[in-house]
Amino acid sequence: MTDKTKKAKIAVIGSTGSIGLSALDVIREHKDRFEIVALAAGSNAEVLKQQINEFNPRFAALSDETAAMNLKKSVSGVEIRAGEDGVASLCEIDDVDIVLVSVVGIAGLAPALKTLRAGKRLALATKEVLVAAGQLIIDETKKYNAEILPVDSEHCAIFQCMQAAGALKSKSVERLILTASGGPFLGKSFDELKNITPKEALAHPTWNMGSKISIDSATLMNKGLEVIEARWLFDIPPEQIDVVVHPQSIVHSLVDFCDGAAIAQMSNPDMRMPILYAFTFPERAPLQMPPLDLAAIGKLTFSKPDYKVFPCLDLAYVALKEGGIVPAVLNASNEIAVQKFLDGEIGFLEISSYIEKKMEKCDNINNPTLEDVISADKWARNEL
Ligand code: MG
């Protein structure tokens, strides 16, 4: 994008969610650099309509077909597509350069694959895609000469540290260290978590996010999913990926190199930065942000995660080590368990036991095909 006269053309899949809204903020701030060609959401026709009126995309879609029909009647000058296929079809529109996939969970798989198979840049916020089908996604990226830019603060941090060290794909990386805020229950004992309500679990101390990722942060499953995500994005084996708890969320992650140097990326916690970087890489563009005031922050602290209190983190390492379809089973059963917790059907501590049971029951398949991954996902969504 050195040619300033040519705007990058963007499709936002998941435009009404937390990341989608931040992406539109970024685009609004850089109208000279970016143009929205397509917007897609699940069922929120009202917010999507406002976005269509503001950004004038040529295409829009809702995965909820009834909501899409209603939207069609209330807007003009935009082609409205419907259903999950309609949403995914936006990823292969010819003149789209970058697709941001920021839908929740495995629903991101089809749009991500379409984007990669069209040879485009995938700005990936939906980590579940890499968790369920990591090897397949990386293979498709190479096969179609596409690229993945992570829109997850930790992975964006690691990506930047690698760039800074000039070490991308080199053997000089010793360890990736993912930082974790620790979520709202940092320091609590296992017993204290027994009667946690969804409302308490949704109240994240440093990040304001959607409900699924907020619960994942409270159980530390989010960090577990991020370990798996990092394994595939950076081609680093799990034994070289560590997690450290850092409640201030200022150091977004670190890379440890073979000569003992560690490079970290720091900034105020704001998802607009990873989003903008995924859009502009290898360049940087300005962003209106308060400067990082380390003196005002005063203290940055780090500690080891408590695997006994937060067993989900360990389950993710186990799934990664077992490989095959187990990570897909971990991911799907987590999505189900989180929903059950939000619906008041199971307690907070039952989230991990629900996932563990599913993992134990699954017959693993080595080197799974995409079909294997999709059927493992379906299997894991059935009742125990
Ligand atoms: Mg993250």
Side-chain angles (χ1 to χ4, degrees), residues 256-304:
D256 227 357
F257 293 94
C258 57
D259 57 359
I263 296 185
Q265 186 262 325
M266 300 163 82
S267 64
N268 292 312
D270 188 325
M271 283 310 295
R272 291 177 307 150
M273 199 273 289
I275 294 166
L276 179 62
Y277 191 69
F279 287 171
T280 61
F281 173 80
E283 292 178 16
R284 284 184 186 272
L287 192 61
Q288 283 189 21
M289 272 245 256
L292 180 62
D293 188 345
L294 286 175
I297 296 163
K299 199 159 75 170
L300 298 177
T301 60
F302 302 90
S303 60
K304 281 190 174 160

Side-chain angles (χ1 to χ4, degrees), residues 49-87:
K49 187 183 162 183
Q50 290 164 12
Q51 295 175 345
I52 290 169
N53 289 336
E54 181 182 353
F55 291 97
N56 293 310
R58 297 202 331 267
F59 304 87
L62 283 167
S63 53
D64 183 316
E65 303 202 5
T66 316
M69 293 305 284
N70 291 333
L71 177 66
K72 211 173 210 169
K73 289 176 201 151
S74 67
V75 290
S76 58
V78 51
E79 183 183 324
I80 304 292
R81 296 182 181 179
E84 283 173 18
D85 291 346
V87 169

Side-chain angles (χ1 to χ4, degrees), residues 56-338:
N56 293 310
R58 297 202 331 267
F59 304 87
L62 283 167
S63 53
D64 183 316
E65 303 202 5
T66 316
M69 293 305 284
N70 291 333
L71 177 66
K72 211 173 210 169
K73 289 176 201 151
S74 67
V75 290
S76 58
V78 51
E79 183 183 324
I80 304 292
R81 296 182 181 179
E84 283 173 18
D85 291 346
V87 169
S89 73
L90 301 184
C91 304
E92 49 189 7
I93 294 167
D94 259 357
D95 63 350
V96 165
D97 304 306
I98 303 168
V99 179
L100 169 66
V101 173
S102 55
V103 299
V104 179
I106 199 69
L109 183 59
L113 278 170
K114 279 257 196 277
T115 304
L116 296 172
R117 288 173 178 166
K120 298 183 192 298
R121 173 177 294 190
L122 170 63
L124 183 61
T126 310
K127 64 194 82 182
E128 291 90 340
V129 168
L130 280 167
V131 172
Q135 183 69 65
L136 292 159
I137 290 290
I138 296 305
D139 291 348
E140 295 293 279
T141 308
K142 287 179 188 153
K143 185 173 168 189
Y144 292 94
N145 203 19
E147 57 179 350
I148 304 180
L149 271 289
V151 180
D152 199 342
S153 57
E154 297 78 2
H155 305 74
C156 176
I158 290 170
F159 188 80
Q160 292 181 64
C161 296
M162 297 276 202
Q163 295 297 324
L168 202 58
K169 294 186 186 78
S170 91
K171 295 209 185 314
S172 61
V173 174
E174 192 84 9
R175 216 163 39 123
L176 306 183
I177 305 168
L178 295 172
T179 53
S181 70
F185 308 134
L186 179 62
K188 287 218 188 298
S189 71
F190 194 77
D191 282 344
E192 285 175 298
L193 296 181
K194 211 174 272 172
N195 298 316
I196 289 297
T197 63
K199 198 179 166 211
E200 291 168 300
L202 286 169
H204 196 276
T206 47
W207 295 98
N208 187 7
M209 309 174 288
S211 58
K212 199 264 178 180
I213 188 171
S214 295
I215 302 302
D216 284 347
S217 296
T219 61
L220 288 202
M221 179 57 95
N222 183 51
K223 212 48 55 181
L225 300 179
E226 288 181 355
V227 168
I228 303 178
E229 183 186 12
R231 187 263 170 274
W232 297 115
L233 277 174
F234 305 108
D235 193 20
I236 299 284
E239 55 276 16
Q240 283 171 259
I241 307 173
D242 284 348
V243 172
V244 66
V245 175
H246 168 50
Q248 297 83 13
S249 299
I250 296 295
V251 175
H252 294 296
S253 278
L254 308 79
V255 179
D256 227 357
F257 293 94
C258 57
D259 57 359
I263 296 185
Q265 186 262 325
M266 300 163 82
S267 64
N268 292 312
D270 188 325
M271 283 310 295
R272 291 177 307 150
M273 199 273 289
I275 294 166
L276 179 62
Y277 191 69
F279 287 171
T280 61
F281 173 80
E283 292 178 16
R284 284 184 186 272
L287 192 61
Q288 283 189 21
M289 272 245 256
L292 180 62
D293 188 345
L294 286 175
I297 296 163
K299 199 159 75 170
L300 298 177
T301 60
F302 302 90
S303 60
K304 281 190 174 160
D306 191 330
Y307 288 87
K308 285 209 177 74
V309 180
F310 300 100
C312 284
L313 181 54
D314 199 41
L315 287 177
Y317 273 101
V318 170
L320 186 51
K321 213 172 139 202
E322 290 189 10
I325 56 167
V326 181
V329 169
L330 168 99
N331 179 61
S333 52
N334 178 54
E335 285 186 31
I336 296 295
V338 167

Side-chain angles (χ1 to χ4, degrees), residues 1-11 27-28 30-37 55 58 95-98 279-280:
M1 278 189 293
T2 41
D3 181 2
K4 288 270 177 358
T5 57
K6 191 180 171 292
K7 290 183 186 179
K9 294 194 168 65
I10 297 179
I27 293 166
R28 197 177 282 120
H30 286 283
K31 286 202 173 117
D32 55 327
R33 287 184 89 105
F34 307 124
E35 179 189 331
I36 294 185
V37 174
F55 291 97
R58 297 202 331 267
D95 63 350
V96 165
D97 304 306
I98 303 168
F279 287 171
T280 61

